[in-house]
Amino acid sequence: VCSSDLSPSATEPFSIVVQSQDAGNVASNVSANTNFSLSLATGSGTLGGTLTGTITAGSNQITVSGITFSAAGTGVSITATRTSGDILTPGTSSTFSVLGATTQLAFVSFPATGLTNAALSTFTVEARRADNSVDLNYPGSVTLTLNSGTGAVTGTLTKSFTSDRKSTRLNSSHA
């Protein structure tokens, strides 16, 4: 059985859990290292990234990270098929949605003015999709640079998005 708790964004890596189960759908340890491959069961797009894994002997599940899907859409499901080790019936995830990829970064509450050699008020940058919704799965970072004018921007200029992937806050000043 494969499971995923989230709605990943197209082209951004996500993870799923592959679990071995008995006939009653209860987690059941494998007796030998059991390899499997992942394939697209339903959906229109291409599955990529990490598409193989191993449930180690004496355990019943593994998280496979680094999976990608090429297109936004609904009704996507993934099948895990045993390739060696214990004999297991293929398992298919429930369907999930893949959201559009991030297309832009947006400043939120950016200060309209600031003083030379003084810290700007803290502001937020959000990763957004083409429809302007916030991409909660965005794995990147943002770097602040001076676009026009003279002087230099100092302070925290590069920051990763927070663990909730919604936004990041920067503190900077202009000299």
Side-chain angles (χ1 to χ4, degrees):
V1 161
C2 304
S3 67
S4 175
D5 296 0
L6 57 105
S7 292
S9 297
T11 70
E12 293 174 6
F14 63 97
S15 301
I16 65 166
V17 174
V18 176
Q19 182 181 72
S20 62
Q21 297 181 345
D22 63 19
N25 295 325
V26 175
S28 178
N29 291 348
V30 295
S31 57
N33 286 349
T34 302
N35 298 316
F36 59 87
S37 63
L38 300 175
S39 60
L40 183 63
T42 60
S44 49
T46 303
L47 198 59
T50 306
L51 298 178
T52 60
T54 303
I55 301 174
T56 57
S59 65
N60 58 46
Q61 69 180 30
I62 184 171
T63 300
V64 181
S65 302
I67 302 165
T68 59
F69 193 70
S70 65
T74 58
V76 177
S77 64
I78 297 173
T79 297
T81 303
R82 169 225 174 250
T83 57
S84 67
D86 286 9
I87 296 174
L88 300 174
T89 302
T92 300
S93 70
S94 56
T95 59
F96 57 94
S97 296
V98 177
L99 305 173
T102 298
T103 59
Q104 60 194 319
L105 298 176
F107 287 98
V108 179
S109 66
F110 191 79
T113 62
L115 300 174
T116 303
N117 294 321
L120 294 172
S121 300
T122 300
F123 56 92
T124 301
V125 178
E126 293 177 336
R128 294 186 180 175
R129 296 182 186 83
D131 65 1
N132 217 27
S133 64
V134 176
D135 185 347
L136 300 178
N137 303 316
Y138 186 68
S141 61
V142 62
T143 300
L144 185 66
T145 60
L146 182 63
N147 188 40
S148 64
T150 59
V153 179
T154 60
T156 305
L157 302 180
T158 300
K159 193 162 182 186
S160 295
F161 279 76
T162 58
S163 60
D164 68 3
R165 306 286 188 201
K166 179 179 178 184
S167 61
T168 189
R169 293 188 178 274
L170 290 166
N171 253 332
S172 303
S173 63
H174 181 260

